[in-house]
Amino acid sequence: MLWSAVALIFVAAGYGSYRWWRGQEVELSANYTVLPFTSDAGIAAGPSFSPDGREIAYCWNGTHQDNFDIYLRETGSQRVRRLTSSPEADYSPAWSPDGRSIAFCRGSGHENSAIWLISLANGAERKLAELQWDAAPGSRYLTWSPDSKRIVYAGSATDERVNGLFELDVATSSIQRLTSAQRGATDLHPAFAPDGRRVAFARDIGSGVSRIWILPMKQDGGADGDPVMLELPGFESATSSRPVWTPDSRYLVFSSNRMGQAALWLVQPSHGAKPRSLAALGAGNIDAAISSRGQLALVRQHLDVDIYQLDVDLLRRGLSSAPKPVLNSTQMESNPQVSPDGSKIAMESNRGGFREIWTANTDSTNLTQVTNLMNPISGSPAWSPDGRRIAFDSRVGGVPGIYVVSAQGGTADALTTAETAGVVPTWSPDGAWIYYSSGRSGRSEVWRIASTGGAAKQVSQNGGFSPVIAHNRLVYAANQARVTTLRELNLNTNEETNLATEVMRRDYCPSGDGVYYIGPSASGRYPLKFLASNLKPAQSIFEFTAQPAEGMSLSPDGHVLYYGQSEKSGSDLLLVQDFWKN
């Protein structure tokens, strides 16, 4: 009888646990009604619901796609109201829970941003704090505490460059640090839980890998312990970011490229929880917001990058030349690299679902998939001098590393380890070394490793990213900023020279007598410049009317430049009225 009673107790406890577990589950619809909310050309991003869910604040770069401002629109209306009109970019709006104001970021691509507050009663603006970031309108930086007294934001302290989350008291302007990202990482996209107990955020560990973390919070401000990373099985190599809470503070919705394209997932913020796909909402969803009424606003990105060629030899001789398409599709083909004999192009493409390495003849025939890692991001191909192998980077296991594969395809061999990891490889002219970027020292620097493997050695000393070699000249960017300084290192003398400022990241290519590079946009046009080896002022030889993608390559004879071009680049907001009913 005693053992029967014990058994009954365990059965009752098990049944109770089962009922509790069932109570924690949520029913997801297989047929959500996803309706367009914005459909204007350009980029709409950063949605934030009003407390009653009747309006959405968002940023948009306008009819002419020339500047970001904050706009408001009712969820059941076509009427749009422009809230800000600064000549600088206004982005990342966050509606205060009391409904009285909207916090947002304001800045430019070349200077630090700041946090501002605008009153919805009279439109008065007030600067709250400096942000140690260049403007990044596609990102989310701010979140309010439920009592509307504090703002948690992603940034750096003014006296240091350690990235992390900070808490700002709106009334007193006092600031306290909440987190410190580890070396080479960045904390982004904070989101306060509606109950005020936790802040979810993404920690970008670099080179296309980020993970979701949870920070416990005190009700009266400040962290209530250390942040904890959510262990999400199967997401170790992916970008998982931009978390938002459901109205009951029980679940997180986040974006991840776990299956190749960005999509939304749902997970309980607890150890061992398994994310559930929200595939019914579609693909290309890079961000979201959820209202107190359970509506979901999502940001859907549209991106189509194709490969073009341009005869720069004609341009330098004062003759006309126009871009010609080489490879195009409805998907992405980017970062073209010409083979040493000039007959083939290696590129990264997601036409198979995941971003893999592909090759094709320069006349667009014989398209061949070289890698099949089924990893969210594999890219940055570089031909060996003999054309038999291709080095590239990938994020297998969550560590960005350098791999080498036969140009004919097959098994890819890891060249780096977790200690020597990095991205964006390039071969030395004799094939003995591979140079690449690594943040292992605390900032991005150029390193090199024997093409057969071994210990890595630091090459640059003052910052370095995305190296390219031509004729014993190592050309690289000073940092990973969108607009950066271009440097050159003479591999024979170790003499370093600044070549140019105002250079778009990874959009440069050395030639036998100089270097080609693309400068930032001026009124929607991107100048292609040539800087001769004698360091005369750079000569503008062409203007791109469409935005170039990252990465370019020059044919062996120096006549033709291959590059990626964004055919379609933008994002829309969509609305799901009855997303969360639990």
Side-chain angles (χ1 to χ4, degrees):
M1 291 178 63
L2 175 63
W3 284 111
S4 298
V6 171
L8 286 172
I9 291 172
F10 275 100
V11 168
Y15 179 70
S17 298
Y18 171 77
R19 288 197 56 172
W20 175 88
W21 179 80
R22 290 294 300 172
Q24 299 302 303
E25 283 291 285
V26 58
E27 296 296 329
L28 297 177
S29 172
N31 297 293
Y32 288 112
T33 301
V34 183
L35 298 175
F37 185 74
T38 65
S39 55
D40 301 298
I43 299 173
S48 176
F49 281 97
S50 61
D52 60 8
R54 297 181 183 275
E55 291 183 272
I56 296 177
Y58 62 98
C59 68
W60 176 46
N61 60 349
T63 304
H64 303 290
Q65 288 85 65
D66 54 356
N67 191 55
F68 282 90
D69 289 294
I70 308 300
Y71 294 81
L72 304 181
R73 181 179 159 188
E74 296 179 8
T75 56
S77 168
Q78 295 295 318
R79 187 173 64 89
V80 177
R81 178 161 63 101
R82 183 174 177 174
L83 190 64
T84 66
S85 55
S86 168
E88 296 181 292
D90 294 338
Y91 60 100
S92 189
W95 211 307
S96 64
D98 61 14
R100 297 178 179 177
S101 57
I102 291 177
F104 63 95
C105 297
R106 171 174 288 167
S108 69
H110 310 289
E111 298 177 358
N112 290 334
S113 296
I115 302 174
W116 288 72
L117 192 70
I118 184 170
S119 168
L120 292 174
N122 57 22
E125 295 183 354
R126 177 164 63 99
K127 187 176 180 180
L128 296 179
E130 295 286 345
L131 269 176
Q132 301 299 306
W133 299 101
D134 295 339
S139 275
R140 202 163 21 92
Y141 287 97
L142 314 175
T143 184
W144 286 87
S145 62
D147 59 9
S148 298
K149 294 181 178 180
R150 301 176 305 280
I151 294 174
V152 171
Y153 67 91
S156 296
T158 55
D159 57 345
E160 57 178 313
R161 300 295 291 189
V162 179
N163 299 321
L165 298 185
F166 295 79
E167 189 173 53
L168 167 70
D169 187 297
V170 176
T172 66
S173 296
S174 63
I175 297 173
Q176 62 174 319
R177 177 184 281 276
L178 299 177
T179 69
S180 294
Q182 72 260 38
R183 186 174 63 180
T186 304
D187 290 350
L188 294 166
H189 315 140
F192 242 116
D195 63 12
R197 295 181 176 181
R198 293 166 290 179
V199 168
F201 66 96
R203 177 163 289 176
D204 188 333
I205 63 175
S207 306
V209 178
S210 61
R211 293 170 181 154
I212 306 299
W213 289 65
I214 304 295
L215 176 67
M217 297 294 293
K218 299 176 181 177
Q219 292 290 335
D220 57 351
D224 195 21
D226 295 327
V228 177
M229 185 180 73
L230 288 184
E231 299 284 353
L232 304 180
F235 288 73
E236 296 83 0
S237 305
T239 297
S240 299
S241 62
R242 307 182 192 226
V244 292
W245 295 87
T246 56
D248 53 15
S249 300
R250 290 171 49 205
Y251 288 84
L252 285 171
V253 172
F254 67 98
S255 177
S256 180
N257 61 358
R258 165 68 180 84
M259 299 305 295
Q261 295 190 57
L264 296 182
W265 297 74
L266 179 78
V267 68
Q268 284 184 297
S270 58
H271 179 71
K274 184 178 179 181
R276 300 170 65 181
S277 172
L278 297 176
L281 298 175
N285 301 325
I286 61 172
D287 200 0
I290 304 177
S291 76
S292 60
R293 299 163 58 183
Q295 305 145 295
L296 176 75
L298 57 88
V299 181
R300 180 164 296 170
Q301 185 180 58
H302 311 286
L303 184 62
D304 177 12
V305 179
D306 295 331
I307 293 176
Y308 281 74
Q309 66 177 23
L310 181 66
D311 193 322
V312 292
D313 180 63
L314 289 177
L315 294 173
R316 287 179 58 186
R317 289 191 282 129
L319 303 175
S320 63
S321 178
K324 298 178 181 179
V326 177
L327 285 165
N328 53 32
S329 70
T330 58
Q331 300 300 312
M332 184 188 74
E333 288 81 28
S334 65
N335 199 6
Q337 297 295 311
V338 186
S339 63
D341 64 3
S343 66
K344 287 183 173 293
I345 298 174
M347 78 207 85
E348 55 188 79
S349 176
N350 66 347
R351 62 170 58 214
F354 291 90
R355 284 168 65 174
E356 304 277 5
I357 306 301
W358 294 66
T359 60
N361 295 338
T362 52
D363 63 0
S364 76
T365 61
N366 196 29
L367 185 65
T368 304
Q369 184 173 342
V370 175
T371 65
N372 192 30
L373 295 174
M374 299 184 70
N375 192 61
I377 301 178
S378 296
S380 306
W383 294 90
S384 62
D386 60 10
R388 297 172 59 186
R389 294 173 292 171
I390 297 174
F392 64 98
D393 58 34
S394 189
R395 286 83 180 152
V396 177
V399 178
I402 307 300
Y403 293 76
V404 178
V405 66
S406 167
Q408 305 302 315
T411 301
D413 298 318
L415 183 66
T416 58
T417 64
E419 290 73 28
T420 60
V423 293
V424 195
T426 188
W427 296 75
S428 63
D430 60 5
W433 300 94
I434 291 180
Y435 292 77
Y436 64 99
S437 312
S438 176
R440 60 185 294 194
S441 66
R443 67 179 176 188
S444 181
E445 298 280 4
V446 177
W447 292 67
R448 75 173 188 178
I449 189 171
S451 57
T452 54
K457 179 181 179 181
Q458 186 173 336
V459 176
S460 67
Q461 303 299 324
N462 301 302
F465 176 69
S466 187
V468 186
I469 291 183
H471 308 284
N472 287 318
R473 297 158 49 225
L474 185 70
V475 177
Y476 55 93
N479 51 50
Q480 300 184 59
R482 186 179 64 88
V483 180
T484 184
T485 295
L486 194 61
R487 293 175 178 165
E488 178 182 281
L489 180 68
N490 188 309
L491 295 178
N492 294 325
T493 65
N494 285 326
E495 180 183 1
E496 186 181 60
T497 306
N498 281 347
L499 297 179
T501 58
E502 304 290 300
V503 178
M504 297 295 291
R505 180 176 59 191
R506 297 188 66 179
D507 280 336
Y508 48 86
C509 179
S511 67
D513 57 348
V515 60
Y516 295 92
Y517 69 89
I518 299 175
S521 170
S523 301
R525 295 177 175 271
Y526 296 81
L528 172 64
K529 299 185 178 183
F530 178 75
L531 179 66
S533 297
N534 56 12
L535 299 182
K536 292 181 180 179
Q539 174 190 8
S540 292
I541 61 174
F542 190 77
E543 282 190 336
F544 298 103
T545 56
Q547 181 178 350
E550 292 184 354
M552 56 171 52
S553 180
L554 196 63
S555 62
D557 61 10
H559 289 184
V560 179
L561 186 71
Y562 292 86
Y563 65 96
Q565 177 175 293
S566 296
E567 300 289 9
K568 181 171 61 175
S569 178
S571 58
D572 296 325
L573 302 185
L574 297 97
L575 186 65
V576 182
Q577 285 286 6
D578 297 315
F579 170 71
W580 196 257
K581 297 181 180 180
N582 296 270

PDB file of all heavy atoms in Angstrom, residues 255-257 260-264 282-286 301:
ATOM      1  N   SER A 255      15.122  36.831 -35.437  1.00  0.00           N
ATOM      2  CA  SER A 255      15.448  36.550 -36.830  1.00  0.00           C
ATOM      3  C   SER A 255      16.738  35.758 -36.915  1.00  0.00           C
ATOM      4  O   SER A 255      17.686  36.025 -36.165  1.00  0.00           O
ATOM      5  CB  SER A 255      15.586  37.862 -37.616  1.00  0.00           C
ATOM      6  OG  SER A 255      15.976  37.614 -38.955  1.00  0.00           O
ATOM      7  N   SER A 256      16.779  34.786 -37.816  1.00  0.00           N
ATOM      8  CA  SER A 256      17.987  33.994 -38.001  1.00  0.00           C
ATOM      9  C   SER A 256      18.076  33.487 -39.439  1.00  0.00           C
ATOM     10  O   SER A 256      17.047  33.238 -40.083  1.00  0.00           O
ATOM     11  CB  SER A 256      18.007  32.793 -37.049  1.00  0.00           C
ATOM     12  OG  SER A 256      19.188  32.021 -37.238  1.00  0.00           O
ATOM     13  N   ASN A 257      19.306  33.351 -39.922  1.00  0.00           N
ATOM     14  CA  ASN A 257      19.537  32.757 -41.245  1.00  0.00           C
ATOM     15  C   ASN A 257      19.903  31.284 -41.118  1.00  0.00           C
ATOM     16  O   ASN A 257      20.604  30.742 -41.967  1.00  0.00           O
ATOM     17  CB  ASN A 257      20.632  33.521 -42.004  1.00  0.00           C
ATOM     18  CG  ASN A 257      21.978  33.493 -41.276  1.00  0.00           C
ATOM     19  OD1 ASN A 257      22.104  32.928 -40.179  1.00  0.00           O
ATOM     20  ND2 ASN A 257      22.983  34.107 -41.880  1.00  0.00           N
ATOM     21  N   GLY A 260      19.447  29.431 -44.219  1.00  0.00           N
ATOM     22  CA  GLY A 260      19.941  30.083 -45.420  1.00  0.00           C
ATOM     23  C   GLY A 260      19.458  31.516 -45.529  1.00  0.00           C
ATOM     24  O   GLY A 260      20.251  32.453 -45.485  1.00  0.00           O
ATOM     25  N   GLN A 261      18.165  31.710 -45.676  1.00  0.00           N
ATOM     26  CA  GLN A 261      17.601  33.047 -45.730  1.00  0.00           C
ATOM     27  C   GLN A 261      17.093  33.469 -44.355  1.00  0.00           C
ATOM     28  O   GLN A 261      16.731  32.637 -43.526  1.00  0.00           O
ATOM     29  CB  GLN A 261      16.439  33.099 -46.728  1.00  0.00           C
ATOM     30  CG  GLN A 261      16.845  32.865 -48.178  1.00  0.00           C
ATOM     31  CD  GLN A 261      15.705  33.176 -49.117  1.00  0.00           C
ATOM     32  OE1 GLN A 261      15.178  34.281 -49.130  1.00  0.00           O
ATOM     33  NE2 GLN A 261      15.309  32.195 -49.914  1.00  0.00           N
ATOM     34  N   ALA A 262      17.088  34.779 -44.120  1.00  0.00           N
ATOM     35  CA  ALA A 262      16.599  35.287 -42.850  1.00  0.00           C
ATOM     36  C   ALA A 262      15.119  34.957 -42.686  1.00  0.00           C
ATOM     37  O   ALA A 262      14.326  35.115 -43.614  1.00  0.00           O
ATOM     38  CB  ALA A 262      16.803  36.800 -42.770  1.00  0.00           C
ATOM     39  N   ALA A 263      14.752  34.493 -41.520  1.00  0.00           N
ATOM     40  CA  ALA A 263      13.363  34.148 -41.211  1.00  0.00           C
ATOM     41  C   ALA A 263      13.164  34.291 -39.710  1.00  0.00           C
ATOM     42  O   ALA A 263      14.124  34.357 -38.937  1.00  0.00           O
ATOM     43  CB  ALA A 263      13.040  32.726 -41.669  1.00  0.00           C
ATOM     44  N   LEU A 264      11.900  34.341 -39.288  1.00  0.00           N
ATOM     45  CA  LEU A 264      11.587  34.505 -37.872  1.00  0.00           C
ATOM     46  C   LEU A 264      11.388  33.163 -37.189  1.00  0.00           C
ATOM     47  O   LEU A 264      10.882  32.203 -37.786  1.00  0.00           O
ATOM     48  CB  LEU A 264      10.336  35.368 -37.701  1.00  0.00           C
ATOM     49  CG  LEU A 264      10.432  36.812 -38.193  1.00  0.00           C
ATOM     50  CD1 LEU A 264       9.133  37.555 -37.900  1.00  0.00           C
ATOM     51  CD2 LEU A 264      11.613  37.533 -37.583  1.00  0.00           C
ATOM     52  N   GLY A 282       6.821  33.626 -44.009  1.00  0.00           N
ATOM     53  CA  GLY A 282       7.617  33.868 -45.196  1.00  0.00           C
ATOM     54  C   GLY A 282       9.092  34.032 -44.886  1.00  0.00           C
ATOM     55  O   GLY A 282       9.525  33.992 -43.734  1.00  0.00           O
ATOM     56  N   ALA A 283       9.898  34.240 -45.940  1.00  0.00           N
ATOM     57  CA  ALA A 283      11.350  34.379 -45.821  1.00  0.00           C
ATOM     58  C   ALA A 283      11.763  35.821 -46.069  1.00  0.00           C
ATOM     59  O   ALA A 283      10.994  36.630 -46.581  1.00  0.00           O
ATOM     60  CB  ALA A 283      12.050  33.452 -46.805  1.00  0.00           C
ATOM     61  N   GLY A 284      12.995  36.126 -45.693  1.00  0.00           N
ATOM     62  CA  GLY A 284      13.521  37.474 -45.869  1.00  0.00           C
ATOM     63  C   GLY A 284      13.174  38.409 -44.731  1.00  0.00           C
ATOM     64  O   GLY A 284      13.400  39.616 -44.831  1.00  0.00           O
ATOM     65  N   ASN A 285      12.634  37.870 -43.622  1.00  0.00           N
ATOM     66  CA  ASN A 285      12.212  38.701 -42.503  1.00  0.00           C
ATOM     67  C   ASN A 285      13.381  38.923 -41.551  1.00  0.00           C
ATOM     68  O   ASN A 285      13.849  37.988 -40.896  1.00  0.00           O
ATOM     69  CB  ASN A 285      11.043  38.046 -41.766  1.00  0.00           C
ATOM     70  CG  ASN A 285       9.848  37.834 -42.677  1.00  0.00           C
ATOM     71  OD1 ASN A 285       9.592  38.650 -43.562  1.00  0.00           O
ATOM     72  ND2 ASN A 285       9.119  36.741 -42.478  1.00  0.00           N
ATOM     73  N   ILE A 286      13.861  40.163 -41.463  1.00  0.00           N
ATOM     74  CA  ILE A 286      15.073  40.457 -40.709  1.00  0.00           C
ATOM     75  C   ILE A 286      14.818  41.125 -39.371  1.00  0.00           C
ATOM     76  O   ILE A 286      15.741  41.268 -38.568  1.00  0.00           O
ATOM     77  CB  ILE A 286      16.030  41.335 -41.535  1.00  0.00           C
ATOM     78  CG1 ILE A 286      15.373  42.679 -41.876  1.00  0.00           C
ATOM     79  CG2 ILE A 286      16.475  40.612 -42.799  1.00  0.00           C
ATOM     80  CD1 ILE A 286      16.318  43.666 -42.531  1.00  0.00           C
ATOM     81  N   GLN A 301      13.197  42.100 -46.088  1.00  0.00           N
ATOM     82  CA  GLN A 301      14.266  42.647 -46.930  1.00  0.00           C
ATOM     83  C   GLN A 301      14.187  42.077 -48.338  1.00  0.00           C
ATOM     84  O   GLN A 301      13.905  40.897 -48.535  1.00  0.00           O
ATOM     85  CB  GLN A 301      15.636  42.316 -46.324  1.00  0.00           C
ATOM     86  CG  GLN A 301      16.817  42.924 -47.046  1.00  0.00           C
ATOM     87  CD  GLN A 301      18.123  42.546 -46.395  1.00  0.00           C
ATOM     88  OE1 GLN A 301      18.454  41.370 -46.255  1.00  0.00           O
ATOM     89  NE2 GLN A 301      18.887  43.546 -45.981  1.00  0.00           N
TER      90      GLN A 301
END
